[in-house]
Structures are given as C-alpha cells and as structure tokens.
Amino acid sequence: MSENMNNSTLRRDPRREWILRNRLHPQHSEIATEDSSSDVLHEWMGPQGIKRKAPHNIGFIGPNGIRRIDRSGTQQAGSASRKEIAQQPSRRSHQIQHPQQYILVVADMTGGRLSAQDKDILGLAHQLAAKKAETAVMLVVFGEHKEAAFAEAGVDRLLHIEGEAFDGFSPDLRLAWLTAIERELHPDYWLFPDSGLGGGDLGRRLAVELDVHAATGLWQVNLKEQPISCVCRAAASTQDLTRELPRVILALSECAEPISDSLHAVQEFNLVRQPLDQLPRIQDLGAVAVDPASVSLAEAEFILSGGNGIRDWDGFHQTAEILGATEGASRVAVDDGYMPRDRQVGATGTWVTARVYMAVGISGAIQHLQGIQSCDKVICINTDAGCDMVKRADLALIGDSTEILAAVRRKVSELKQEKRHVA
Amino acid sequence: MSLNQATRVAVLLSIGQHPVTARARRADQDARALELALQLNHADVIPLHVGQLNEHNEAALRSYLGMGISQIKLIGNSDILLGLEQGVRESQANIVLCGSRAETGEGSGLVPYLLAKKLGWPIVSGLVSIEKLDQGSATLLQALPRGQRRKLKVSLPAVLAVDPAAAVARQSAFGPAQRGAITPQKLSSIEAVSGAEVKHNSALHSFLWQFQPAKKRPKRLKIIKATSARDRFKAAAAKADASGGKVLQGVSADDAANEIIKLLLEESVLNLDGHL
C-alpha cells in the first residue's frame, strides 16, 4: 500500500485510522506496531514534486501513551535517513600515492600497541605533514607488535623492523637503523614520544647523532608562525621555552589531537640499504624480579590498601605478600600508627597510578578518592554499602574484610599449589 | 679488581633549583648520582662542576661537599660541554655518573648524550644502581616504568645517567660542607679551542629563545563527533556517571574471594608462580 501512496490516489481506511487514534482500542497496539514498521510515511514526494510531510505520523506511541519522537533515527521505521547513515563511510580515506617527503614517527609501542601518546604524536605528524603537499607519515616499529589499528591512527607508511634483538634494550642497533633511514629518506621531521626509556632515550641518541639541537618536552606547536615555533617544558617543568621547531622532536602526551576522522593506507615500506650488524656495547641481561614492597607507591601496578575498617593487620600484610601487591593505606590507618607515613594514599599522601587498586575497609574520603583518580580498576571491601568508595569501585564486596581476606589468601594459595603440581 | 686499578668515577654536579622556592640547591638527580658513586667499593670519586663560583651557588655546591667528599673540581670560564669533556679526560675517569636532566636552564637531558658522543663512550640512561664492577665492564640495574628493573652489562668506559628512581641522596652535613674545598681547575687545552668551537655550538641561535614561567597546560576537551542535534545534546547534558560497578551484598566470603581473584586474573596482576 505504501508503495502506491507516492504516485497514485491516496486510499484511506477510516476504521484503521480510528483505531490508531484510539489507544484504548483492543487492536490499537497491533495496528500501531504495523504502522511503525512500514505502513505510514511521514515524508514523501508529492505529485507536483513537492515534499509532503505528515507530522502526525512522526514518532511512535510510548509505553505511557504519549507520542515520542526519536530524532536519532534509530527507532523510526521506514526512514531513509537510517540507511544513509549506515552507508556513509565513517572515515574519509587519506591516500598518498607518491610521497615527496616523509615525516618519521618512532613509536614506543608499550605492550605491543600504540600508546595514547604515540597516537597524539601521529596526530602532530599529520599537522606538520599538512603544511607541505605529498608528505607521508611513516611509522617505525621495532620488534613484534599486536596493533591492528594503524590505519585509524594515521600511518601512511609502515616500516616494521623485525628481529629478536628488539625484544630487549638495544639502543645501538636501533640507532643504526634510524641513521640508515635518515640516509635513505632524509625525512623532514623525526618525532619521538618523550617518555622515559623508549622514545626519550632513542630520540636523544638520534639528535646527538644528527647534530640537531632537539626540542624536548614539546607540548605545543605554533604552525601559523613562520618559521614554525614550538613550546617546550624546560628547567624541570618550571619554565616554558619558545623556540624554532627543529628536525628532531621529543613530544609530551596531548601535544596534538590524535587522528580521528581519516583512514590511512598502511603501506609496508622497506629500506634498500639495511645497516650492518655490530657488536653491541650494551648487553641486556633481562628483567629482574622486583619485590612489590620495594616499589614506590606512585608507580606500583597493583596496590592493596587498608583503612580504618581493618581489624586484622597481620592478615592484611599476609594477603599483600601472597597477592604480590604493594601496600597502601588511608590516612586514618597511618595516623593510628598501623602503617608508615610513606604508604599513605590520597591527596595528602601519594597520588597513585595503579592499574588495580584494592581498598579494604576504606570508606572513601574525597582526598583519598582524588589520590586514586587515575586507577583503572578499583576493588572495594567494606561493611557499609552506602559509602563513597563503593560508588567509585568497579567491584564492591559488602562484608567482613577479615573473613574475605582470609578466603582470598586460602584460594590464592590453593591456586598456586595447583599450578606448582601441574608444573 | 686489584686496588691499583681502582675505578675512577667522575660525577657531574650541577646547581639545582628548588621547585617551590626557586632557591639554588643541590640538584636532586646529581645528588643521587653522587650517592651512587659514594656507595661503590674501591672507587675514586671525582666530583666535577663547570661554572663560576659566586655567592648564589656556593651554598648549593657546598651541600654536595656535605655528603662526605673532600673537594669539588671547579672548571670555570668555558662552554659546559667542552669543560666536561676536558675535565673527564684529565681526571682519567672510566665511569661518568650524572643526573639525567638539569633543574635549571633548558633541562633537555641532552648533555649526557652529547658528552658520551664527544668521548666516544656508550651511554646508559635510567640507571638505578651499579651491581658489579668488573675488568672492563659494569653490571647495572636500569629502571623501567611501573617500578620494574632490568639488568644490563655495559663495557667501560661509559656514561651513566641516573634515574629519579635511584636511591635518595644522603643528607648534607653542615660541618664537612664548610670544611670541604672547591678547587678551581686549570685545564690545559681549553682556552685554545673554546673560541672556535663555540661558534659551531647550536646554542648560539638560542638568543632567539624565550623562557617564561610554565603555563598550565590546557586540559584536553572531550571532542564530540555527533551527527545529529540529539546526540550533541545528549553528550553535552550527560553527567559524569558513576562507574556502574558491581556491588555484591550478602555473599559468602568464598564467593567474594572468587570474584576478587577472577578480576585480578583478568587484569593479569596476580602472579601464581610466586610466594605461597
């Protein structure tokens, strides 16, 4: 019927319309749902080529019998806009067929994936690339990676350098590769994340090798100025240095917006001349097992924190040892003398960055919650279900902390025993 | 190691700045480097400072002396890098210990790398401790993120830059600080080269550089890519919602423990190989 409505005479069904108007009619819901599927159009092209609208047909009758209009297009049946949205490519394609210049980005790839800082730096690279035509952004990746979304992050060309040596600390070999790239491509810019041991170390090595006075701790680039200038953190982050933009850049996170609306061709690139193997002067002897108790609270990955609700402190310490967690405490526990002052978590103590934070018997004062702002997962054991820590927690357990911690100790020991027997 | 071939450790000391009061002080990382050097057995420690001695920085330099060294060699009147290179060469050191970043000036952290390049030595940054000194090599501990450590073996001579995670420097004692000597060092080759070399130094065009007190960095805005007005409104009006975590009430201790262990294993923070 609806197909005919556009071009032929309009056929009406008065009874049907009457049922539709009367939502108390026993058949109302049946017909209304039929309508919403395809029958009633709220917009069509009239015979004179004029768009006709039926405002009464827009939307649907909600559960309370009130008409609801959902403009997102998700619930409106028969609307063409929904299909259009689905067909639209969400990101525009960005292709560079024959690049004239390159901008090189050397990513940290922490955990084998592009970090947020890496993505910001790719964004900065594209801002710089937009200044010149036919400039491609090339990403250098050392060793294995697990990243699947290079195209979305803005990688035009990918230079993936494989080798077992890159699993460990091999600055000399990496530098040899980077200088080989420099010789072959002579890129416009080299971009590194200014992070501890990854880009921060390698970038400085390359800058010294190329005899460039690198911009370190860069957080802003003024592209409109000529020559391009940049703002870097200086003097232990107490000063800002405005200077010209050099070829080697070590940038902080959030230095630019990451790529969000384009899709890039991740074309593999290979060097013509690869560097020769050389005898490394620095040898990696592997990671060292670290006692979690010696890890400083600010950089610990997993913290077990105790507060006023703990009755059994011996059990708490045992649990931390068995779980391999770094110990923390709330202010009350420190003031009462159960924990040393340097273990205090919160605005007045240490701001922690743990991935998993387990709060036992801590109700969650605002200062404490501030201190754990950047924690990913919070587990909370508390007797009071209404406290603020429960609201913050990803997993909250209401009960007696002594019993629960004892059960955790028992279970983890069992798991460890099992694993030992299997092995 | 035989005593006649004791390791000679040059420690590069700079004038720091207190982050709050901006007063001159001993630089935190350099003090940690000196602490590391003082902890070494059978090692001659040679503290070096390049710069002028005046009333502003004397107290700061003396606080290094208060850590238990008898003298600091002062190399004045020269380009910093050249002075350091000459100072290290003339002291015949085979290890250079320094902080990784200065607390004043540009503080780019490039100096250890430049010095290593000039000397032709390998450089290791992020040093936490020196485990062992052998003939011609050193075993080091390097700081990784999240408190992890890595063991490295580096051939000597080498430049080692200390990480902020290294052991805290000892307190400076007032008496030894006053008794210690800051001895100006005359370097043989420095006057001749300095004039010519400084021209090559890229720091020359740094007179165009401007220093300002650090601005607070703008907080990144949440960028909303909404196609319809409804989506934009929803994004703007949305409250920062509660995390919507799981709350378990009235479960047995065993079930609670299972839930906790499940989450810890999912996040892979629980190591089942360790201590029972």
Side-chain angles (χ1 to χ4, degrees):
Chain A
M1 192 178 112
S2 65
E3 281 81 15
N4 302 338
M5 252 167 89
N6 288 352
N7 39 26
S8 64
T9 42
L10 182 65
R11 302 206 180 276
R12 301 178 63 175
D13 183 349
R15 184 171 176 278
R16 211 181 131 82
E17 286 176 7
W18 176 69
I19 294 173
L20 265 176
R21 280 198 303 273
N22 180 6
R23 63 186 172 83
L24 295 177
H25 194 278
Q27 277 179 306
H28 171 82
S29 60
E30 204 178 296
I31 288 177
T33 47
E34 237 175 69
D35 275 355
S36 65
S37 61
S38 66
D39 269 6
V40 176
L41 286 184
H42 60 86
E43 208 177 280
W44 67 91
M45 203 56 84
Q48 263 84 40
I50 297 167
K51 191 186 260 185
R52 313 308 305 229
K53 282 190 181 180
H56 288 286
N57 293 342
I58 299 175
F60 58 97
I61 306 294
N64 296 338
I66 298 168
R67 182 176 293 279
R68 295 284 178 202
I69 300 173
D70 184 351
R71 304 214 183 262
S72 70
T74 45
Q75 277 172 315
Q76 279 188 20
S79 65
S81 64
R82 189 159 116 212
K83 272 179 209 154
E84 278 164 27
I85 289 165
Q87 280 160 6
Q88 268 173 9
S90 55
R91 283 163 173 254
R92 70 188 157 76
S93 155
H94 179 95
Q95 302 279 345
I96 292 170
Q97 300 300 341
H98 306 289
Q100 302 297 310
Q101 301 94 26
Y102 288 96
I103 291 178
L104 265 283
V105 177
V106 184
D108 264 357
M109 307 289 289
T110 35
R113 295 197 177 84
L114 286 172
S115 65
Q117 192 177 6
D118 290 338
K119 288 180 185 166
D120 294 344
I121 284 164
L122 281 165
L124 177 65
H126 275 284
Q127 286 184 10
L128 292 168
K131 297 285 280 185
K132 259 191 198 174
E134 296 296 297
T135 307
V137 173
M138 187 189 288
L139 181 77
V140 182
V141 176
F142 289 108
E144 293 289 304
H145 71 80
K146 297 181 228 159
E147 181 64 56
F150 281 130
E152 285 84 353
V155 179
D156 294 324
R157 298 285 185 276
L158 178 69
L159 178 53
H160 186 199
I161 306 168
E162 281 164 295
E164 278 179 21
F166 298 120
D167 295 343
F169 188 61
S170 49
D172 288 341
L173 186 60
R174 288 172 198 237
L175 183 63
W177 273 93
L178 296 188
T179 40
I181 297 168
E182 166 75 20
R183 253 179 278 128
E184 194 166 317
L185 298 176
H186 199 80
D188 282 2
Y189 295 102
W190 281 97
L191 273 73
F192 295 85
D194 195 356
S195 58
L197 270 180
D201 185 55
L202 199 57
R204 287 186 175 85
R205 282 175 200 270
L206 184 75
V208 170
E209 190 68 32
L210 304 183
D211 202 14
V212 176
H213 198 142
T216 57
L218 175 141
W219 62 273
Q220 198 173 48
V221 175
N222 304 322
L223 289 160
K224 285 181 187 147
E225 288 177 25
Q226 202 54 252
I228 303 172
S229 73
C230 61
V231 185
C232 307
R233 282 283 192 242
S237 300
T238 56
Q239 295 212 298
D240 274 341
L241 164 64
T242 311
R243 57 170 288 183
E244 86 295 337
L245 191 71
R247 275 189 65 216
V248 181
I249 298 158
L250 285 85
L252 298 176
S253 60
E254 300 195 6
C255 56
E257 290 299 331
I259 298 292
S260 60
D261 56 353
S262 53
L263 204 61
H264 297 250
V266 189
Q267 248 180 55
E268 289 280 339
F269 184 88
N270 286 308
L271 277 190
V272 179
R273 271 197 293 169
Q274 300 190 345
L276 299 170
D277 276 346
Q278 51 186 351
L279 200 66
R281 293 185 290 181
I282 302 167
Q283 208 184 327
D284 192 342
L285 303 180
V288 179
V290 181
D291 174 20
S294 70
V295 175
S296 89
L297 211 49
E299 54 177 10
E301 193 167 31
F302 174 27
I303 296 176
L304 179 68
S305 200
N308 197 27
I310 289 193
R311 297 283 158 269
D312 175 17
W313 279 96
D314 291 337
F316 173 79
H317 295 306
Q318 278 174 21
T319 315
E321 202 176 342
I322 287 177
L323 292 177
T326 306
E327 287 183 9
S330 73
R331 173 157 180 183
V332 187
V334 172
D335 281 352
D336 290 351
Y338 291 114
M339 291 287 275
R341 180 65 69 189
D342 65 333
R343 292 282 143 190
Q344 182 184 330
V345 174
T348 41
T350 313
W351 293 63
V352 297
T353 58
R355 226 154 35 81
V356 179
Y357 184 82
M358 198 163 150
V360 185
I362 298 176
S363 60
I366 185 71
Q367 292 86 350
H368 194 87
L369 292 178
Q370 277 172 359
I372 62 168
Q373 249 169 8
S374 49
C375 293
D376 278 353
K377 289 266 184 234
V378 176
I379 307 174
C380 151
I381 304 177
N382 213 310
T383 46
D384 175 13
C387 68
D388 287 338
M389 187 55 93
V390 172
K391 286 177 196 148
R392 165 71 175 82
D394 298 275
L395 172 64
L397 302 156
I398 313 302
D400 181 38
S401 66
T402 314
E403 277 174 29
I404 294 178
L405 286 187
V408 168
R409 282 200 299 277
R410 207 173 52 243
K411 298 246 169 207
V412 173
S413 296
E414 277 168 19
L415 282 172
K416 285 185 177 179
Q417 291 277 14
E418 260 174 51
K419 189 151 190 221
R420 198 159 288 188
H421 286 310
V422 170
Chain B
M1 184 179 292
S2 58
L3 273 177
N4 56 355
Q5 281 181 317
T7 322
R8 291 176 68 78
V9 184
V11 185
L12 314 185
L13 305 176
S14 65
I15 308 292
Q17 191 187 37
H18 193 277
V20 178
T21 62
R23 266 188 217 153
R25 62 159 189 184
R26 60 173 188 183
D28 180 57
Q29 292 182 24
D30 292 347
R32 283 171 201 253
L34 183 57
E35 176 68 39
L36 254 179
L38 293 173
Q39 299 281 354
L40 291 174
N41 294 326
H42 311 299
D44 295 341
V45 180
I46 307 141
L48 292 175
H49 172 71
V50 177
Q52 302 283 347
L53 186 67
N54 52 37
E55 68 269 28
H56 297 297
N57 59 23
E58 188 174 352
L61 267 185
R62 286 207 173 273
S63 60
Y64 289 114
L65 289 170
M67 288 170 67
I69 48 176
S70 54
Q71 65 157 341
I72 292 176
K73 288 187 178 178
L74 187 73
I75 303 159
N77 256 342
S78 100
D79 174 54
I80 288 174
L81 202 55
L82 273 171
L84 286 177
E85 190 202 352
Q86 296 292 334
V88 171
R89 281 197 194 284
E90 296 203 358
S91 65
Q92 294 177 326
N94 50 4
I95 292 181
V96 172
L97 272 174
C98 56
S100 43
R101 273 173 184 229
E103 290 177 6
T104 54
E106 195 193 346
S108 64
L110 281 165
V111 168
Y113 293 87
L114 288 164
L115 181 65
K117 173 92 189 300
K118 281 213 161 228
L119 294 165
W121 295 359
I123 171 163
V124 174
S125 55
L127 176 78
V128 179
S129 72
I130 299 176
E131 294 222 311
K132 209 165 70 176
L133 285 172
D134 291 320
Q135 204 75 48
S137 74
T139 312
L140 316 169
L141 223 51
Q142 191 183 37
L144 298 177
R146 295 247 170 248
Q148 301 304 304
R149 300 283 181 263
R150 175 159 63 190
K151 207 178 267 191
L152 299 175
K153 195 172 184 180
V154 63
S155 62
L156 296 181
V159 179
L160 310 176
V162 171
D163 194 82
V168 180
R170 64 188 69 179
Q171 275 192 339
S172 174
F174 183 75
Q178 304 310 305
R179 285 193 292 277
I182 301 172
T183 43
Q185 203 73 13
K186 261 278 172 254
L187 294 177
S188 51
S189 48
I190 210 145
E191 310 305 335
V193 260
S194 57
E197 284 261 347
V198 166
K199 273 191 189 134
H200 290 290
N201 196 338
S202 52
L204 253 198
H205 55 84
S206 63
F207 65 87
L208 291 173
W209 295 5
Q210 287 165 8
F211 283 93
Q212 289 140 346
K215 260 187 286 181
K216 202 171 178 192
R217 286 182 64 184
K219 219 173 176 184
R220 178 174 273 176
L221 296 173
K222 201 167 71 184
I223 296 168
I224 298 147
K225 293 232 164 125
T227 43
S228 69
R230 179 178 172 271
D231 288 347
R232 276 196 298 277
F233 177 75
K234 266 177 77 178
K239 271 191 286 183
D241 49 349
S243 56
K246 199 156 114 184
V247 181
L248 296 177
Q249 202 158 6
V251 290
S252 71
D254 280 2
D255 292 346
N258 282 338
E259 283 290 330
I260 292 173
I261 292 168
K262 203 177 102 195
L263 195 139
L264 295 183
L265 288 174
E266 265 171 27
E267 292 292 316
S268 66
V269 287
L270 189 58
N271 179 15
L272 292 179
D273 297 324
H275 176 82
L276 278 181

